[in-house]
Amino acid sequence: MVQSDSTDFSTLYEENHRTVYHFLLKISGDPEVSEDLTQEAFLKAFTFFAKFDPKIASFSTWTCSIAKNLYFKHYNKQKKEFGNLSIGDLVIDIEVNPEIPENLEKAFLEKAIKDSIESLPEPEKSIILFKELERKTLKETALALGISERTVSRRLISAVSLLREKMESQGLQF
């Protein structure tokens, strides 16, 4: 795609900024990291905007792919610096109003699911977050993660199986 001017990119940025931010937030669980990496992803997208081809992927899929790569780079750097820091340690607890009992069970289940997803190994975790929670197609997920659709399918099956095991070990039915 030929970059016509910065207004085209500005429009795409406005339309897709929140999608990329929320994708990163689901992966990282950290609003600050998500905001920083979102800005970095769009800066990189702007730099390589001439290489963007809408016939291959949507702009949101392309920028989420860039963001995912930046997150893995960030995650690996953090892991080297801080050892085996669990991403689950960075997850913000779900806020609950304890005076409303019906919210307690829902909050408990949401937290258990979130914690279980956060504890999955990285390829499976990304696939569940992108494919299931972001409701992307196999093709969009494959493009964003830089793997084949078949690999996405296989890893999704593996991820769901791992998630089921983790939840059942906590006494929850999946």
Side-chain angles (χ1 to χ4, degrees):
M1 175 177 209
V2 177
Q3 181 179 354
S4 59
D5 61 20
S6 61
T7 0
D8 292 340
F9 187 84
S10 178
T11 302
L12 289 170
Y13 172 82
E14 290 300 322
E15 292 171 351
N16 295 283
H17 176 265
R18 297 185 97 192
T19 301
V20 174
Y21 171 78
H22 288 290
F23 171 68
L24 284 166
L25 185 60
K26 285 182 182 178
I27 291 175
S28 72
D30 184 332
E32 286 183 34
V33 168
S34 301
E35 186 60 41
D36 290 345
L37 292 178
T38 298
Q39 295 304 319
E40 199 173 330
F42 278 99
L43 181 61
K44 190 168 261 200
F46 182 75
T47 303
F48 295 101
F49 190 51
K51 294 184 179 194
F52 169 63
D53 185 354
K55 294 175 189 164
I56 295 175
S58 70
F59 186 76
S60 68
T61 298
W62 185 63
T63 51
C64 280
S65 180
I66 293 169
K68 180 251 330 165
N69 292 335
L70 290 170
Y71 170 73
F72 284 142
K73 189 182 268 185
H74 169 79
Y75 176 76
N76 289 332
K77 183 179 175 185
Q78 292 293 97
K79 194 173 179 181
K80 272 185 183 176
E81 289 178 12
F82 300 109
N84 288 330
L85 176 67
S86 167
I87 292 181
D89 296 337
L90 304 174
V91 176
I92 300 168
D93 291 337
I94 299 170
E95 292 184 27
V96 183
N97 181 348
E99 295 178 9
I100 306 174
E102 63 265 13
N103 285 343
L104 290 176
E105 184 176 11
K106 181 181 176 195
F108 173 76
L109 289 173
E110 287 175 357
K111 181 161 178 20
I113 291 168
K114 188 175 184 179
D115 289 347
S116 295
I117 290 171
E118 291 294 327
S119 70
L120 291 174
E122 195 47 56
E124 287 81 3
K125 176 182 167 183
S126 292
I127 286 174
I128 284 185
L129 290 173
F130 200 75
K131 173 74 178 80
E132 296 302 318
L133 299 180
E134 289 287 326
R135 298 285 185 212
K136 299 293 184 181
T137 65
L138 278 175
K139 185 176 184 175
E140 289 172 325
T141 303
L143 286 169
L145 298 176
I147 56 178
S148 71
E149 290 179 48
R150 185 173 179 200
T151 302
V152 170
S153 294
R154 285 195 319 255
R155 287 187 181 168
L156 182 60
I157 291 168
S158 170
V160 169
S161 178
L162 282 171
L163 184 59
R164 178 177 287 122
E165 288 173 19
K166 287 184 180 294
M167 295 196 63
E168 286 174 353
S169 74
Q170 297 175 22
L172 300 169
Q173 290 295 327
F174 184 79

